[in-house]
């Protein structure tokens, strides 16, 4: 005698059999993290950017980050320009909104070497630099990007040495006098100082900019990486004849310093 199964049982068997043969859904990869680098000709040269990219790809080979270098020759964040510069220096604030509209995960900026326009220190020029950096911080925060600020590299010329055995306080007095005299010269002759004829103690100007940048670390989600100090300790290695642009070793030290800080920056970004 034949056993005839109900149609409902047959259909259930077909459904179960069909379900068992379906492949498991493919795992969906998260979108790769995006890193945008902004800066002047040092960033545009790309040495430190490429070194950082190489290491970040090694750390995540299955889903490597997307790295974009937006460095521009002669650029500033302050909007300032010396009198004899061939055309006014470009300012990142004039075009960066288009970049932030892409909503990158990370923005790494390195400005300052051009922002003092190779002049003696002045409160007005310093305020323009501070305002530019603060604007970048607000723009990054508005799109949810994590901002990392690299201090500018040193200007690889220390200026005339002070007399032997001059203590720190006397050095500051002498430096203030030299700065005031140079500022008066610049007022009388706007073409006195610039990238071809830098104020002899210009690196001291950058030191003040860097000191201020370091006070921003941890504020408004900002991380600041001090690349100046490790480069200063090896200044004979980091530049060739050009005091503005680091050589390959200088770029390597910039990248090494960033990567040393990177795990802590990542951890901070994931903290509740």
């Amino acid at each position: 005698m034949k056993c005839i199964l109900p149609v409902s049982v047959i259909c259930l068997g077909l459904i179960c059999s069909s379900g068992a043969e379906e492949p498991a859904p493919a795992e969906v990869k998260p979108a790769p993290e995006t890193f945008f680098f902004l800066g002047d000709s040092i960033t545009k040269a790309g040495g430190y950017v490429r070194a950082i990219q190489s290491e970040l790809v090694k750390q995540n080979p299955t889903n490597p980050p997307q790295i974009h270098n937006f460095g521009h020759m002669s650029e500033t964040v302050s909007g300032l320009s010396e009198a004899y510069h061939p055309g006014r220096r470009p300012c990142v604030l004039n075009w960066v909104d288009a970049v932030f509209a892409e909503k990158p995960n990370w923005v790494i900026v390195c400005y300052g070497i051009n922002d003092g326009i190779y002049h003696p220190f002045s409160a007005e020029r310093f305020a323009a630099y501070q305002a530019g950096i603060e604007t970048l911080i607000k723009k990054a925060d508005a799109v949810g990007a994590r901002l990392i600020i690299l201090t500018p590299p040193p200007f690889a010329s220390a200026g005339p040495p002070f007399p032997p055995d001059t203590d720190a306080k006397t050095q500051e007095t002498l430096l203030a006098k030299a700065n005031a005299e140079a500022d008066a010269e610049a007022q009388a002759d706007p073409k006195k100082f610039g990238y071809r004829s830098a104020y002899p103690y210009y690196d001291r100007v950058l030191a003040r900019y860097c000191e201020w940048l370091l006070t921003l670390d941890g504020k408004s989600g900002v991380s600041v990486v001090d690349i100046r100090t490790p480069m200063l300790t090896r200044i004979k290695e980091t530049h060739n004849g050009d005091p503005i642009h680091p050589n390959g070793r200088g770029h390597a030290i910039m990248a090494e310093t960033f990567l040393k800080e990177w795990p802590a920056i990542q951890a901070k970004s994931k903290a509740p």
Side-chain angles (χ1 to χ4, degrees):
M1 180 178 177
K2 293 182 179 179
C3 178
I4 301 174
L5 295 175
V7 173
S8 60
V9 174
I10 296 172
C11 290
L12 180 60
L14 289 172
I15 292 170
C16 293
S17 174
S18 174
E21 292 173 1
E22 289 180 1
E27 185 180 349
V28 179
K29 275 187 180 181
E33 287 195 301
T34 50
F35 291 73
F36 287 3
F37 286 79
L38 310 178
D40 47 45
S41 54
I42 296 171
T43 297
K44 183 176 175 59
Y48 80 89
V49 178
R50 288 189 293 272
I52 291 171
Q53 177 178 15
S54 177
E55 182 57 32
L56 294 182
V57 169
K58 286 180 186 176
Q59 292 177 9
N60 192 1
T62 60
N63 193 24
Q66 294 182 351
I67 310 291
H68 301 275
N69 186 344
F70 293 100
H72 286 90
M73 298 288 289
S74 302
E75 193 161 72
T76 73
V77 70
S78 62
L80 301 177
S81 189
E82 60 268 58
Y84 66 61
H85 190 272
R88 188 164 187 83
R89 287 183 179 275
C91 178
V92 63
L93 301 181
N94 292 335
W95 60 268
V96 78
D97 285 345
V99 168
F100 280 120
E102 298 295 322
K103 296 187 176 180
N105 300 107
W106 297 91
V107 177
I108 299 92
V109 305
C110 185
Y111 288 102
I113 194 80
N114 294 329
D115 288 277
I117 58 173
Y118 304 93
H119 277 54
F121 180 83
S122 84
E124 293 79 10
R125 284 187 285 273
F126 187 36
Y129 179 69
Q130 290 174 308
I133 292 292
E134 287 165 354
T135 298
L136 279 183
I137 292 172
K138 290 175 183 175
K139 288 181 180 293
D141 184 62
V143 298
R146 297 281 184 172
L147 184 67
I148 304 173
I149 300 174
L150 310 184
T151 63
F155 182 75
S157 176
F162 294 107
D165 302 321
T166 305
D167 60 33
K169 186 175 180 181
T170 304
Q171 283 190 21
E172 288 303 315
T173 300
L174 293 173
L175 186 62
K177 182 175 181 289
N179 197 88
E181 291 172 352
D183 198 40
E185 289 182 78
Q187 294 291 335
D189 178 8
K191 295 184 178 181
K192 174 71 176 176
F193 300 113
Y195 69 99
R196 293 197 304 263
S197 55
Y199 167 55
Y201 295 110
Y202 187 58
D203 190 55
R204 299 293 188 111
V205 177
L206 294 180
R208 295 179 72 166
Y209 286 27
C210 291
E211 286 173 8
W212 173 73
L213 285 177
L214 291 171
T215 68
L216 304 178
D217 187 49
K219 297 179 181 177
S220 303
V222 173
S223 297
V224 181
V225 177
D226 177 11
I227 63 171
R228 172 182 170 81
T229 300
M231 293 183 78
L232 271 178
T233 60
R234 302 171 71 175
I235 199 69
K236 292 182 179 179
E237 301 174 40
T238 60
H239 293 70
N240 296 329
D242 178 355
I244 299 173
H245 301 97
N247 58 21
R249 186 69 194 122
H251 277 268
I253 292 171
M254 292 173 69
E256 288 164 7
T257 306
F258 173 90
L259 291 167
K260 184 178 178 181
E261 299 296 325
W262 175 237
I265 292 172
Q266 272 188 308
K268 187 167 59 175
S269 74
K270 295 173 182 176

